[in-house]
Amino acid sequence: MRALRVGLVVLLSQGLAFAARHPVTRAPSGLSWTAPGGAAGSAPWGIVVLLTILTLLPSILLCMTPFVRLLVVFHFLRQALGTQTAPSNQTVIGLSFMLTFFLMQPVMLTIQQNAIAPFQSGSITAMQAVDRGAVPLRQFMMKYVRQKDLALFLELAKQPRPARSDEVAMRVVVPAYILSELKAGFQIGAALFLPFLVIDLVVASITTSIGMLQLPPVVISTPLKILLFVMVDGWNLLVGSLMKSFY
């Protein structure tokens, strides 16, 4: 979350710098500003759009990126290993955030070229920039959304099945994408649990058979699970598999 706050501060500073480069001028018809290229717009609307984006940025990060799947998988891994606080929540969130940034960088570059840069130059309005920026996000989410989840929200929205994927509304794509990512995260987490569950069962059966009841089985199985995870280079295998699942 600290990295998220830093990102918000950076975006706010960029918005203030842009406002400083293009000062507001007063016209007889009201408050207006003239952007480079001769495009005129409403200064209050620009501020509203900027503040709205900053407010919705955490929700966009959670709901429209691979952040949810990565965070769920790392949480399941920590539970499977039996280490309740190692790695810490800050480490897990930071790792998920950086991997999300790595995966979303091509999409962010496309949004920068198609929406942000034309808006800063004054060639398009704020609403046109939002519409253009939504196109790469929709294309990214449609690659990983399940047809079953998409059909569910199309039915709830009482919308006909579209002929093309770019005709699906964002209010249908976003919740369907969230459900698909949660399902994928839980599937990977369940697969991670199986080998460690076998170790727990073996250790518990051995300690019970020899009558070692004074020592909990988890005390013995946790070092064994950590040792197995380190020996197979688990972090490299897990992160590599997660990243390859998005390509």
Side-chain angles (χ1 to χ4, degrees), residues 5-19 50-51 54:
R5 290 196 296 267
V6 173
L8 292 175
V9 172
V10 171
L11 286 177
L12 182 58
S13 63
Q14 291 179 352
L16 293 177
F18 177 75
L50 176 62
L51 294 179
L54 292 178

Side-chain angles (χ1 to χ4, degrees), residues 18-26 31-43 46 115-126 128:
F18 177 75
R21 291 195 300 267
H22 309 291
V24 176
T25 58
R26 186 175 299 276
L31 189 64
S32 63
W33 62 278
T34 303
S42 174
I116 299 178
F119 174 69
Q120 290 179 341
S121 64
S123 58
I124 61 174
T125 63
Q128 290 175 338

Side-chain angles (χ1 to χ4, degrees), residues 161-247:
R161 185 179 295 272
R164 299 182 303 174
S165 60
D166 55 356
E167 297 177 356
V168 184
M170 289 294 288
R171 73 185 188 101
V172 174
V173 178
V174 174
Y177 175 77
I178 298 173
L179 289 186
S180 301
E181 288 295 287
L182 286 174
K183 179 179 176 59
F186 273 75
Q187 286 178 335
I188 299 173
L192 283 175
F193 251 105
L194 293 178
F196 300 112
L197 180 61
V198 172
I199 296 177
D200 287 332
L201 293 175
V202 171
V203 171
S205 61
I206 293 176
T207 55
T208 304
S209 61
I210 64 178
M212 196 188 328
L213 302 178
Q214 68 277 10
L215 188 63
V218 67
V219 177
I220 303 175
S221 63
T222 299
L224 295 177
K225 291 187 289 186
I226 296 176
L227 180 62
L228 174 64
F229 189 73
V230 172
M231 289 180 60
V232 300
D233 199 5
W235 284 109
N236 184 277
L237 293 175
L238 177 60
V239 173
S241 300
L242 283 173
M243 301 298 282
K244 291 177 182 179
S245 66
F246 287 98
Y247 288 96

Side-chain angles (χ1 to χ4, degrees), residues 92-127:
V92 171
I93 293 174
L95 178 60
S96 302
F97 179 78
M98 295 309 299
L99 293 179
T100 301
F101 176 78
F102 181 85
L103 291 169
M104 295 298 295
Q105 188 175 11
V107 180
M108 294 166 59
L109 290 176
T110 305
I111 295 175
Q112 168 67 24
Q113 296 172 358
N114 297 342
I116 299 178
F119 174 69
Q120 290 179 341
S121 64
S123 58
I124 61 174
T125 63
M127 295 306 299

